[in-house]
Amino acid sequence: MEKNGIGTARRTAICNLYSAARTQDELRGLFDRRQVDDRLGNLEPRDQVYPDQGAPIVHLDGETIVLKSARWGMPSPKQYHSASGIDRGVTNIRNTGSPHWRRWLGPQHRCLVPLTAFAEPLGKSRGNAWFRFPDDATPMFAGIWVEGWTSIRKLKDGETKDDLFAFLTTEPNAEVAPIHPKAMPVILTEQEEWETWLTAEWAEAKALQSPLTDGMLEVENGGQRGKDSGSS
């Protein structure tokens, strides 16, 4: 997962595909404890979200929950840019001790990333395993984001200014480990966890960078069902 302390997921293919299939009304309804400022426009539920695409994120502006779209992939260190200056972005982050990431760990740069399922590759020509949640679950990736970052994401587009996001990873739980033994995304399912992630100082919030509780996932397309998988 790690490379030179940066943790660039695109080099190891961890969770570079997920679904965000909730409707806009459903997303707004998840945050009844705070005023919600919906800046998503006309959001269509997404069965597949890939790196560098736009997707909904949630962050705080003062005391208000903001729903907006951002581009998946935080800025890479310059040594990972191409010779022509292209920065493909970092989709998920493990090494929060790296100086590159420490500047974005404060509450003002933390976000939640709504999801309904996520995928991990099964291997060459074998497709993906999809990890899904119970119908009543409300999972969110624990993310970080940056506003108005100027970079070259695609050579044909030249420099663009974008809101960017990525999410944290951690050790895998019992369902993920048989398919991806090195890491899984950090997923928060309780409103108290969301509130801590969005508001607490890093000394407290960093405790949330931990695996999802065993037994909370079902696995489709090649993996064992969550209820049948072994525990560790």
PDB file of all heavy atoms in Angstrom, residues 7 9 18 57 70-75 89-93 101 104 109-113 141-146 153 163-169 186 197:
ATOM      1  N   GLY A   7       1.499   6.322   0.205  1.00  0.00           N
ATOM      2  CA  GLY A   7       0.298   5.494   0.209  1.00  0.00           C
ATOM      3  C   GLY A   7      -0.572   5.751  -0.994  1.00  0.00           C
ATOM      4  O   GLY A   7      -1.751   6.040  -0.874  1.00  0.00           O
ATOM      5  N   ALA A   9      -2.848   4.713  -3.692  1.00  0.00           N
ATOM      6  CA  ALA A   9      -3.637   3.511  -3.952  1.00  0.00           C
ATOM      7  C   ALA A   9      -3.592   3.091  -5.403  1.00  0.00           C
ATOM      8  O   ALA A   9      -3.766   1.928  -5.717  1.00  0.00           O
ATOM      9  CB  ALA A   9      -5.087   3.761  -3.537  1.00  0.00           C
ATOM     10  N   TYR A  18     -16.345   2.242  -6.411  1.00  0.00           N
ATOM     11  CA  TYR A  18     -17.399   2.108  -5.411  1.00  0.00           C
ATOM     12  C   TYR A  18     -18.711   2.614  -5.998  1.00  0.00           C
ATOM     13  O   TYR A  18     -18.753   3.188  -7.095  1.00  0.00           O
ATOM     14  CB  TYR A  18     -17.042   2.839  -4.108  1.00  0.00           C
ATOM     15  CG  TYR A  18     -17.044   4.356  -4.158  1.00  0.00           C
ATOM     16  CD1 TYR A  18     -18.162   5.083  -3.773  1.00  0.00           C
ATOM     17  CD2 TYR A  18     -15.916   5.066  -4.557  1.00  0.00           C
ATOM     18  CE1 TYR A  18     -18.164   6.476  -3.785  1.00  0.00           C
ATOM     19  CE2 TYR A  18     -15.901   6.449  -4.572  1.00  0.00           C
ATOM     20  CZ  TYR A  18     -17.030   7.144  -4.186  1.00  0.00           C
ATOM     21  OH  TYR A  18     -17.021   8.531  -4.210  1.00  0.00           O
ATOM     22  N   ILE A  57     -19.529  14.544  -1.684  1.00  0.00           N
ATOM     23  CA  ILE A  57     -18.852  14.532  -0.392  1.00  0.00           C
ATOM     24  C   ILE A  57     -19.657  15.384   0.586  1.00  0.00           C
ATOM     25  O   ILE A  57     -20.530  16.157   0.178  1.00  0.00           O
ATOM     26  CB  ILE A  57     -17.391  15.045  -0.468  1.00  0.00           C
ATOM     27  CG1 ILE A  57     -17.350  16.537  -0.814  1.00  0.00           C
ATOM     28  CG2 ILE A  57     -16.580  14.221  -1.453  1.00  0.00           C
ATOM     29  CD1 ILE A  57     -15.976  17.169  -0.627  1.00  0.00           C
ATOM     30  N   ALA A  70     -17.094  16.623  -5.635  1.00  0.00           N
ATOM     31  CA  ALA A  70     -15.649  16.838  -5.740  1.00  0.00           C
ATOM     32  C   ALA A  70     -15.068  15.719  -6.598  1.00  0.00           C
ATOM     33  O   ALA A  70     -15.716  14.700  -6.855  1.00  0.00           O
ATOM     34  CB  ALA A  70     -14.990  16.867  -4.359  1.00  0.00           C
ATOM     35  N   ARG A  71     -13.834  15.917  -7.012  1.00  0.00           N
ATOM     36  CA  ARG A  71     -13.165  14.987  -7.928  1.00  0.00           C
ATOM     37  C   ARG A  71     -12.326  14.000  -7.119  1.00  0.00           C
ATOM     38  O   ARG A  71     -11.557  14.413  -6.240  1.00  0.00           O
ATOM     39  CB  ARG A  71     -12.284  15.797  -8.879  1.00  0.00           C
ATOM     40  CG  ARG A  71     -11.842  15.112 -10.136  1.00  0.00           C
ATOM     41  CD  ARG A  71     -11.225  16.142 -11.080  1.00  0.00           C
ATOM     42  NE  ARG A  71     -10.835  15.561 -12.362  1.00  0.00           N
ATOM     43  CZ  ARG A  71     -10.431  16.274 -13.407  1.00  0.00           C
ATOM     44  NH1 ARG A  71     -10.366  17.607 -13.316  1.00  0.00           N
ATOM     45  NH2 ARG A  71     -10.093  15.673 -14.530  1.00  0.00           N
ATOM     46  N   TRP A  72     -12.459  12.719  -7.421  1.00  0.00           N
ATOM     47  CA  TRP A  72     -11.815  11.685  -6.610  1.00  0.00           C
ATOM     48  C   TRP A  72     -10.329  11.581  -6.959  1.00  0.00           C
ATOM     49  O   TRP A  72      -9.960  11.116  -8.023  1.00  0.00           O
ATOM     50  CB  TRP A  72     -12.507  10.350  -6.831  1.00  0.00           C
ATOM     51  CG  TRP A  72     -12.021   9.242  -5.942  1.00  0.00           C
ATOM     52  CD1 TRP A  72     -11.238   9.354  -4.832  1.00  0.00           C
ATOM     53  CD2 TRP A  72     -12.297   7.849  -6.087  1.00  0.00           C
ATOM     54  NE1 TRP A  72     -11.006   8.124  -4.275  1.00  0.00           N
ATOM     55  CE2 TRP A  72     -11.641   7.177  -5.025  1.00  0.00           C
ATOM     56  CE3 TRP A  72     -13.036   7.103  -7.008  1.00  0.00           C
ATOM     57  CZ2 TRP A  72     -11.706   5.798  -4.875  1.00  0.00           C
ATOM     58  CZ3 TRP A  72     -13.098   5.726  -6.850  1.00  0.00           C
ATOM     59  CH2 TRP A  72     -12.446   5.080  -5.797  1.00  0.00           C
ATOM     60  N   GLY A  73      -9.500  11.991  -6.009  1.00  0.00           N
ATOM     61  CA  GLY A  73      -8.045  11.940  -6.160  1.00  0.00           C
ATOM     62  C   GLY A  73      -7.394  13.175  -5.581  1.00  0.00           C
ATOM     63  O   GLY A  73      -7.442  14.251  -6.191  1.00  0.00           O
ATOM     64  N   MET A  74      -6.797  13.053  -4.396  1.00  0.00           N
ATOM     65  CA  MET A  74      -6.087  14.176  -3.775  1.00  0.00           C
ATOM     66  C   MET A  74      -4.763  14.433  -4.496  1.00  0.00           C
ATOM     67  O   MET A  74      -4.251  13.568  -5.225  1.00  0.00           O
ATOM     68  CB  MET A  74      -5.826  13.871  -2.301  1.00  0.00           C
ATOM     69  CG  MET A  74      -7.051  14.038  -1.418  1.00  0.00           C
ATOM     70  SD  MET A  74      -7.538  15.766  -1.161  1.00  0.00           S
ATOM     71  CE  MET A  74      -6.312  16.284   0.069  1.00  0.00           C
ATOM     72  N   PRO A  75      -4.169  15.615  -4.296  1.00  0.00           N
ATOM     73  CA  PRO A  75      -2.900  15.921  -4.966  1.00  0.00           C
ATOM     74  C   PRO A  75      -1.790  14.948  -4.585  1.00  0.00           C
ATOM     75  O   PRO A  75      -1.640  14.571  -3.426  1.00  0.00           O
ATOM     76  CB  PRO A  75      -2.574  17.337  -4.463  1.00  0.00           C
ATOM     77  CG  PRO A  75      -3.885  17.909  -4.032  1.00  0.00           C
ATOM     78  CD  PRO A  75      -4.666  16.755  -3.501  1.00  0.00           C
ATOM     79  N   GLY A  89      -3.471  11.920  -9.229  1.00  0.00           N
ATOM     80  CA  GLY A  89      -4.181  11.958  -7.964  1.00  0.00           C
ATOM     81  C   GLY A  89      -4.032  10.693  -7.143  1.00  0.00           C
ATOM     82  O   GLY A  89      -3.728   9.625  -7.655  1.00  0.00           O
ATOM     83  N   VAL A  90      -4.240  10.840  -5.851  1.00  0.00           N
ATOM     84  CA  VAL A  90      -4.172   9.738  -4.887  1.00  0.00           C
ATOM     85  C   VAL A  90      -5.586   9.459  -4.394  1.00  0.00           C
ATOM     86  O   VAL A  90      -6.227  10.333  -3.827  1.00  0.00           O
ATOM     87  CB  VAL A  90      -3.253  10.094  -3.705  1.00  0.00           C
ATOM     88  CG1 VAL A  90      -3.212   8.959  -2.694  1.00  0.00           C
ATOM     89  CG2 VAL A  90      -1.859  10.438  -4.189  1.00  0.00           C
ATOM     90  N   THR A  91      -6.060   8.254  -4.607  1.00  0.00           N
ATOM     91  CA  THR A  91      -7.451   7.947  -4.286  1.00  0.00           C
ATOM     92  C   THR A  91      -7.669   7.541  -2.837  1.00  0.00           C
ATOM     93  O   THR A  91      -8.742   7.785  -2.286  1.00  0.00           O
ATOM     94  CB  THR A  91      -7.978   6.830  -5.205  1.00  0.00           C
ATOM     95  OG1 THR A  91      -7.108   5.702  -5.112  1.00  0.00           O
ATOM     96  CG2 THR A  91      -8.058   7.306  -6.647  1.00  0.00           C
ATOM     97  N   ASN A  92      -6.692   6.870  -2.222  1.00  0.00           N
ATOM     98  CA  ASN A  92      -6.852   6.528  -0.808  1.00  0.00           C
ATOM     99  C   ASN A  92      -5.511   6.550  -0.091  1.00  0.00           C
ATOM    100  O   ASN A  92      -4.462   6.396  -0.705  1.00  0.00           O
ATOM    101  CB  ASN A  92      -7.601   5.215  -0.600  1.00  0.00           C
ATOM    102  CG  ASN A  92      -7.233   4.142  -1.594  1.00  0.00           C
ATOM    103  OD1 ASN A  92      -6.118   3.624  -1.562  1.00  0.00           O
ATOM    104  ND2 ASN A  92      -8.154   3.812  -2.487  1.00  0.00           N
ATOM    105  N   ILE A  93      -5.569   6.769   1.209  1.00  0.00           N
ATOM    106  CA  ILE A  93      -4.413   7.220   1.983  1.00  0.00           C
ATOM    107  C   ILE A  93      -4.286   6.381   3.245  1.00  0.00           C
ATOM    108  O   ILE A  93      -5.247   6.253   4.016  1.00  0.00           O
ATOM    109  CB  ILE A  93      -4.600   8.710   2.377  1.00  0.00           C
ATOM    110  CG1 ILE A  93      -4.669   9.575   1.114  1.00  0.00           C
ATOM    111  CG2 ILE A  93      -3.495   9.171   3.320  1.00  0.00           C
ATOM    112  CD1 ILE A  93      -5.404  10.871   1.330  1.00  0.00           C
ATOM    113  N   TRP A 101       0.479  14.567   3.926  1.00  0.00           N
ATOM    114  CA  TRP A 101      -0.913  14.498   4.333  1.00  0.00           C
ATOM    115  C   TRP A 101      -1.218  15.275   5.600  1.00  0.00           C
ATOM    116  O   TRP A 101      -2.376  15.675   5.809  1.00  0.00           O
ATOM    117  CB  TRP A 101      -1.323  13.032   4.520  1.00  0.00           C
ATOM    118  CG  TRP A 101      -1.177  12.203   3.284  1.00  0.00           C
ATOM    119  CD1 TRP A 101      -0.419  11.075   3.130  1.00  0.00           C
ATOM    120  CD2 TRP A 101      -1.767  12.449   2.006  1.00  0.00           C
ATOM    121  NE1 TRP A 101      -0.500  10.602   1.852  1.00  0.00           N
ATOM    122  CE2 TRP A 101      -1.326  11.428   1.130  1.00  0.00           C
ATOM    123  CE3 TRP A 101      -2.623  13.423   1.506  1.00  0.00           C
ATOM    124  CZ2 TRP A 101      -1.709  11.358  -0.201  1.00  0.00           C
ATOM    125  CZ3 TRP A 101      -3.006  13.351   0.179  1.00  0.00           C
ATOM    126  CH2 TRP A 101      -2.560  12.336  -0.655  1.00  0.00           C
ATOM    127  N   TRP A 104      -3.488  18.351   5.797  1.00  0.00           N
ATOM    128  CA  TRP A 104      -4.899  18.240   5.470  1.00  0.00           C
ATOM    129  C   TRP A 104      -5.666  17.373   6.460  1.00  0.00           C
ATOM    130  O   TRP A 104      -6.752  16.877   6.151  1.00  0.00           O
ATOM    131  CB  TRP A 104      -5.059  17.663   4.060  1.00  0.00           C
ATOM    132  CG  TRP A 104      -4.593  18.588   2.978  1.00  0.00           C
ATOM    133  CD1 TRP A 104      -4.846  19.934   2.872  1.00  0.00           C
ATOM    134  CD2 TRP A 104      -3.793  18.251   1.847  1.00  0.00           C
ATOM    135  NE1 TRP A 104      -4.262  20.451   1.748  1.00  0.00           N
ATOM    136  CE2 TRP A 104      -3.602  19.440   1.090  1.00  0.00           C
ATOM    137  CE3 TRP A 104      -3.220  17.069   1.380  1.00  0.00           C
ATOM    138  CZ2 TRP A 104      -2.870  19.474  -0.090  1.00  0.00           C
ATOM    139  CZ3 TRP A 104      -2.494  17.105   0.206  1.00  0.00           C
ATOM    140  CH2 TRP A 104      -2.318  18.292  -0.517  1.00  0.00           C
ATOM    141  N   HIS A 109     -10.456  20.186   6.686  1.00  0.00           N
ATOM    142  CA  HIS A 109     -10.177  19.419   5.475  1.00  0.00           C
ATOM    143  C   HIS A 109     -10.740  18.006   5.529  1.00  0.00           C
ATOM    144  O   HIS A 109     -10.508  17.227   4.602  1.00  0.00           O
ATOM    145  CB  HIS A 109      -8.670  19.351   5.227  1.00  0.00           C
ATOM    146  CG  HIS A 109      -8.083  20.639   4.757  1.00  0.00           C
ATOM    147  ND1 HIS A 109      -8.357  21.180   3.526  1.00  0.00           N
ATOM    148  CD2 HIS A 109      -7.249  21.513   5.376  1.00  0.00           C
ATOM    149  CE1 HIS A 109      -7.701  22.322   3.380  1.00  0.00           C
ATOM    150  NE2 HIS A 109      -7.037  22.549   4.489  1.00  0.00           N
ATOM    151  N   ARG A 110     -11.489  17.679   6.575  1.00  0.00           N
ATOM    152  CA  ARG A 110     -12.060  16.332   6.643  1.00  0.00           C
ATOM    153  C   ARG A 110     -13.455  16.311   6.036  1.00  0.00           C
ATOM    154  O   ARG A 110     -14.204  17.288   6.132  1.00  0.00           O
ATOM    155  CB  ARG A 110     -12.101  15.847   8.092  1.00  0.00           C
ATOM    156  CG  ARG A 110     -10.731  15.451   8.597  1.00  0.00           C
ATOM    157  CD  ARG A 110     -10.805  14.727   9.918  1.00  0.00           C
ATOM    158  NE  ARG A 110      -9.846  15.359  10.832  1.00  0.00           N
ATOM    159  CZ  ARG A 110     -10.115  15.774  12.044  1.00  0.00           C
ATOM    160  NH1 ARG A 110     -11.339  15.611  12.541  1.00  0.00           N
ATOM    161  NH2 ARG A 110      -9.199  16.340  12.788  1.00  0.00           N
ATOM    162  N   CYS A 111     -13.776  15.196   5.417  1.00  0.00           N
ATOM    163  CA  CYS A 111     -15.095  15.046   4.803  1.00  0.00           C
ATOM    164  C   CYS A 111     -15.576  13.618   4.969  1.00  0.00           C
ATOM    165  O   CYS A 111     -14.818  12.719   5.348  1.00  0.00           O
ATOM    166  CB  CYS A 111     -15.049  15.424   3.317  1.00  0.00           C
ATOM    167  SG  CYS A 111     -14.079  14.299   2.273  1.00  0.00           S
ATOM    168  N   LEU A 112     -16.826  13.417   4.689  1.00  0.00           N
ATOM    169  CA  LEU A 112     -17.432  12.102   4.577  1.00  0.00           C
ATOM    170  C   LEU A 112     -17.763  11.863   3.109  1.00  0.00           C
ATOM    171  O   LEU A 112     -18.154  12.793   2.398  1.00  0.00           O
ATOM    172  CB  LEU A 112     -18.711  12.013   5.413  1.00  0.00           C
ATOM    173  CG  LEU A 112     -18.566  12.288   6.906  1.00  0.00           C
ATOM    174  CD1 LEU A 112     -19.944  12.442   7.539  1.00  0.00           C
ATOM    175  CD2 LEU A 112     -17.783  11.183   7.590  1.00  0.00           C
ATOM    176  N   VAL A 113     -17.606  10.624   2.672  1.00  0.00           N
ATOM    177  CA  VAL A 113     -17.874  10.276   1.277  1.00  0.00           C
ATOM    178  C   VAL A 113     -18.965   9.204   1.276  1.00  0.00           C
ATOM    179  O   VAL A 113     -18.713   8.059   1.654  1.00  0.00           O
ATOM    180  CB  VAL A 113     -16.607   9.759   0.573  1.00  0.00           C
ATOM    181  CG1 VAL A 113     -16.908   9.467  -0.897  1.00  0.00           C
ATOM    182  CG2 VAL A 113     -15.462  10.761   0.706  1.00  0.00           C
ATOM    183  N   PHE A 141     -17.266   6.730   3.781  1.00  0.00           N
ATOM    184  CA  PHE A 141     -15.809   6.719   3.862  1.00  0.00           C
ATOM    185  C   PHE A 141     -15.352   7.910   4.696  1.00  0.00           C
ATOM    186  O   PHE A 141     -15.918   9.005   4.592  1.00  0.00           O
ATOM    187  CB  PHE A 141     -15.176   6.849   2.477  1.00  0.00           C
ATOM    188  CG  PHE A 141     -15.370   5.680   1.553  1.00  0.00           C
ATOM    189  CD1 PHE A 141     -15.842   5.872   0.270  1.00  0.00           C
ATOM    190  CD2 PHE A 141     -15.043   4.393   1.950  1.00  0.00           C
ATOM    191  CE1 PHE A 141     -15.995   4.807  -0.604  1.00  0.00           C
ATOM    192  CE2 PHE A 141     -15.201   3.313   1.081  1.00  0.00           C
ATOM    193  CZ  PHE A 141     -15.673   3.527  -0.206  1.00  0.00           C
ATOM    194  N   ALA A 142     -14.311   7.717   5.492  1.00  0.00           N
ATOM    195  CA  ALA A 142     -13.667   8.827   6.208  1.00  0.00           C
ATOM    196  C   ALA A 142     -12.679   9.484   5.250  1.00  0.00           C
ATOM    197  O   ALA A 142     -11.645   8.899   4.919  1.00  0.00           O
ATOM    198  CB  ALA A 142     -12.959   8.310   7.452  1.00  0.00           C
ATOM    199  N   GLY A 143     -13.003  10.676   4.778  1.00  0.00           N
ATOM    200  CA  GLY A 143     -12.218  11.310   3.730  1.00  0.00           C
ATOM    201  C   GLY A 143     -11.538  12.592   4.159  1.00  0.00           C
ATOM    202  O   GLY A 143     -11.795  13.138   5.234  1.00  0.00           O
ATOM    203  N   ILE A 144     -10.649  13.060   3.289  1.00  0.00           N
ATOM    204  CA  ILE A 144     -10.111  14.408   3.375  1.00  0.00           C
ATOM    205  C   ILE A 144     -10.308  15.067   2.023  1.00  0.00           C
ATOM    206  O   ILE A 144     -10.454  14.392   0.995  1.00  0.00           O
ATOM    207  CB  ILE A 144      -8.629  14.439   3.814  1.00  0.00           C
ATOM    208  CG1 ILE A 144      -7.739  13.715   2.802  1.00  0.00           C
ATOM    209  CG2 ILE A 144      -8.457  13.851   5.203  1.00  0.00           C
ATOM    210  CD1 ILE A 144      -6.257  13.843   3.128  1.00  0.00           C
ATOM    211  N   TRP A 145     -10.332  16.404   2.024  1.00  0.00           N
ATOM    212  CA  TRP A 145     -10.593  17.114   0.780  1.00  0.00           C
ATOM    213  C   TRP A 145      -9.830  18.428   0.773  1.00  0.00           C
ATOM    214  O   TRP A 145      -9.370  18.916   1.818  1.00  0.00           O
ATOM    215  CB  TRP A 145     -12.088  17.335   0.583  1.00  0.00           C
ATOM    216  CG  TRP A 145     -12.666  18.459   1.422  1.00  0.00           C
ATOM    217  CD1 TRP A 145     -12.815  18.492   2.779  1.00  0.00           C
ATOM    218  CD2 TRP A 145     -13.170  19.701   0.933  1.00  0.00           C
ATOM    219  NE1 TRP A 145     -13.376  19.675   3.177  1.00  0.00           N
ATOM    220  CE2 TRP A 145     -13.608  20.440   2.065  1.00  0.00           C
ATOM    221  CE3 TRP A 145     -13.303  20.268  -0.333  1.00  0.00           C
ATOM    222  CZ2 TRP A 145     -14.171  21.714   1.943  1.00  0.00           C
ATOM    223  CZ3 TRP A 145     -13.864  21.543  -0.444  1.00  0.00           C
ATOM    224  CH2 TRP A 145     -14.285  22.238   0.689  1.00  0.00           C
ATOM    225  N   VAL A 146      -9.675  18.976  -0.417  1.00  0.00           N
ATOM    226  CA  VAL A 146      -9.040  20.282  -0.578  1.00  0.00           C
ATOM    227  C   VAL A 146      -9.850  21.050  -1.614  1.00  0.00           C
ATOM    228  O   VAL A 146     -10.332  20.489  -2.591  1.00  0.00           O
ATOM    229  CB  VAL A 146      -7.553  20.155  -0.984  1.00  0.00           C
ATOM    230  CG1 VAL A 146      -7.395  19.452  -2.323  1.00  0.00           C
ATOM    231  CG2 VAL A 146      -6.867  21.512  -0.990  1.00  0.00           C
ATOM    232  N   ARG A 153      -4.756  17.385 -14.529  1.00  0.00           N
ATOM    233  CA  ARG A 153      -5.247  16.026 -14.317  1.00  0.00           C
ATOM    234  C   ARG A 153      -5.207  15.228 -15.620  1.00  0.00           C
ATOM    235  O   ARG A 153      -4.937  14.030 -15.609  1.00  0.00           O
ATOM    236  CB  ARG A 153      -6.683  16.051 -13.777  1.00  0.00           C
ATOM    237  CG  ARG A 153      -6.881  16.951 -12.569  1.00  0.00           C
ATOM    238  CD  ARG A 153      -6.186  16.441 -11.353  1.00  0.00           C
ATOM    239  NE  ARG A 153      -6.871  15.325 -10.757  1.00  0.00           N
ATOM    240  CZ  ARG A 153      -6.626  14.888  -9.518  1.00  0.00           C
ATOM    241  NH1 ARG A 153      -5.710  15.468  -8.770  1.00  0.00           N
ATOM    242  NH2 ARG A 153      -7.276  13.858  -9.052  1.00  0.00           N
ATOM    243  N   ASP A 163     -12.125  20.961  -6.675  1.00  0.00           N
ATOM    244  CA  ASP A 163     -12.229  20.426  -5.328  1.00  0.00           C
ATOM    245  C   ASP A 163     -11.913  18.931  -5.419  1.00  0.00           C
ATOM    246  O   ASP A 163     -12.497  18.220  -6.245  1.00  0.00           O
ATOM    247  CB  ASP A 163     -13.633  20.626  -4.766  1.00  0.00           C
ATOM    248  CG  ASP A 163     -14.001  22.090  -4.609  1.00  0.00           C
ATOM    249  OD1 ASP A 163     -13.099  22.945  -4.637  1.00  0.00           O
ATOM    250  OD2 ASP A 163     -15.213  22.377  -4.468  1.00  0.00           O
ATOM    251  N   LEU A 164     -10.992  18.465  -4.583  1.00  0.00           N
ATOM    252  CA  LEU A 164     -10.494  17.088  -4.661  1.00  0.00           C
ATOM    253  C   LEU A 164     -10.736  16.366  -3.337  1.00  0.00           C
ATOM    254  O   LEU A 164     -10.747  16.995  -2.272  1.00  0.00           O
ATOM    255  CB  LEU A 164      -9.001  17.082  -4.974  1.00  0.00           C
ATOM    256  CG  LEU A 164      -8.554  17.840  -6.233  1.00  0.00           C
ATOM    257  CD1 LEU A 164      -7.029  17.857  -6.318  1.00  0.00           C
ATOM    258  CD2 LEU A 164      -9.153  17.222  -7.488  1.00  0.00           C
ATOM    259  N   PHE A 165     -10.878  15.037  -3.405  1.00  0.00           N
ATOM    260  CA  PHE A 165     -11.027  14.265  -2.176  1.00  0.00           C
ATOM    261  C   PHE A 165     -10.362  12.900  -2.332  1.00  0.00           C
ATOM    262  O   PHE A 165     -10.100  12.414  -3.437  1.00  0.00           O
ATOM    263  CB  PHE A 165     -12.507  14.077  -1.811  1.00  0.00           C
ATOM    264  CG  PHE A 165     -13.231  13.029  -2.620  1.00  0.00           C
ATOM    265  CD1 PHE A 165     -13.334  11.723  -2.162  1.00  0.00           C
ATOM    266  CD2 PHE A 165     -13.814  13.341  -3.840  1.00  0.00           C
ATOM    267  CE1 PHE A 165     -13.995  10.744  -2.906  1.00  0.00           C
ATOM    268  CE2 PHE A 165     -14.480  12.377  -4.587  1.00  0.00           C
ATOM    269  CZ  PHE A 165     -14.564  11.077  -4.119  1.00  0.00           C
ATOM    270  N   ALA A 166     -10.110  12.274  -1.196  1.00  0.00           N
ATOM    271  CA  ALA A 166      -9.688  10.878  -1.111  1.00  0.00           C
ATOM    272  C   ALA A 166     -10.159  10.373   0.239  1.00  0.00           C
ATOM    273  O   ALA A 166     -10.650  11.142   1.071  1.00  0.00           O
ATOM    274  CB  ALA A 166      -8.172  10.745  -1.241  1.00  0.00           C
ATOM    275  N   PHE A 167     -10.024   9.063   0.478  1.00  0.00           N
ATOM    276  CA  PHE A 167     -10.405   8.547   1.791  1.00  0.00           C
ATOM    277  C   PHE A 167      -9.300   7.680   2.360  1.00  0.00           C
ATOM    278  O   PHE A 167      -8.407   7.210   1.652  1.00  0.00           O
ATOM    279  CB  PHE A 167     -11.743   7.798   1.760  1.00  0.00           C
ATOM    280  CG  PHE A 167     -11.929   6.855   0.605  1.00  0.00           C
ATOM    281  CD1 PHE A 167     -11.347   5.604   0.613  1.00  0.00           C
ATOM    282  CD2 PHE A 167     -12.694   7.226  -0.476  1.00  0.00           C
ATOM    283  CE1 PHE A 167     -11.529   4.723  -0.436  1.00  0.00           C
ATOM    284  CE2 PHE A 167     -12.885   6.354  -1.541  1.00  0.00           C
ATOM    285  CZ  PHE A 167     -12.302   5.109  -1.519  1.00  0.00           C
ATOM    286  N   LEU A 168      -9.371   7.505   3.671  1.00  0.00           N
ATOM    287  CA  LEU A 168      -8.334   6.785   4.395  1.00  0.00           C
ATOM    288  C   LEU A 168      -8.532   5.279   4.288  1.00  0.00           C
ATOM    289  O   LEU A 168      -9.643   4.795   4.061  1.00  0.00           O
ATOM    290  CB  LEU A 168      -8.334   7.188   5.864  1.00  0.00           C
ATOM    291  CG  LEU A 168      -7.457   8.386   6.256  1.00  0.00           C
ATOM    292  CD1 LEU A 168      -7.832   9.630   5.467  1.00  0.00           C
ATOM    293  CD2 LEU A 168      -7.550   8.655   7.755  1.00  0.00           C
ATOM    294  N   THR A 169      -7.418   4.541   4.452  1.00  0.00           N
ATOM    295  CA  THR A 169      -7.473   3.087   4.542  1.00  0.00           C
ATOM    296  C   THR A 169      -6.842   2.634   5.857  1.00  0.00           C
ATOM    297  O   THR A 169      -6.188   3.401   6.560  1.00  0.00           O
ATOM    298  CB  THR A 169      -6.752   2.412   3.356  1.00  0.00           C
ATOM    299  OG1 THR A 169      -5.359   2.730   3.405  1.00  0.00           O
ATOM    300  CG2 THR A 169      -7.337   2.869   2.033  1.00  0.00           C
ATOM    301  N   VAL A 186     -11.446   3.083   5.328  1.00  0.00           N
ATOM    302  CA  VAL A 186     -12.013   3.430   6.630  1.00  0.00           C
ATOM    303  C   VAL A 186     -13.469   3.827   6.406  1.00  0.00           C
ATOM    304  O   VAL A 186     -13.759   4.768   5.660  1.00  0.00           O
ATOM    305  CB  VAL A 186     -11.237   4.578   7.293  1.00  0.00           C
ATOM    306  CG1 VAL A 186     -11.921   5.005   8.594  1.00  0.00           C
ATOM    307  CG2 VAL A 186      -9.799   4.163   7.551  1.00  0.00           C
ATOM    308  N   TRP A 197     -15.498  12.665  13.253  1.00  0.00           N
ATOM    309  CA  TRP A 197     -14.599  12.830  12.111  1.00  0.00           C
ATOM    310  C   TRP A 197     -14.616  14.273  11.592  1.00  0.00           C
ATOM    311  O   TRP A 197     -13.579  14.831  11.220  1.00  0.00           O
ATOM    312  CB  TRP A 197     -14.971  11.853  11.000  1.00  0.00           C
ATOM    313  CG  TRP A 197     -14.035  11.930   9.829  1.00  0.00           C
ATOM    314  CD1 TRP A 197     -14.295  12.414   8.584  1.00  0.00           C
ATOM    315  CD2 TRP A 197     -12.653  11.538   9.822  1.00  0.00           C
ATOM    316  NE1 TRP A 197     -13.172  12.353   7.796  1.00  0.00           N
ATOM    317  CE2 TRP A 197     -12.151  11.812   8.530  1.00  0.00           C
ATOM    318  CE3 TRP A 197     -11.805  10.980  10.771  1.00  0.00           C
ATOM    319  CZ2 TRP A 197     -10.826  11.550   8.173  1.00  0.00           C
ATOM    320  CZ3 TRP A 197     -10.485  10.707  10.410  1.00  0.00           C
ATOM    321  CH2 TRP A 197     -10.013  10.996   9.129  1.00  0.00           C
TER     322      TRP A 197
END
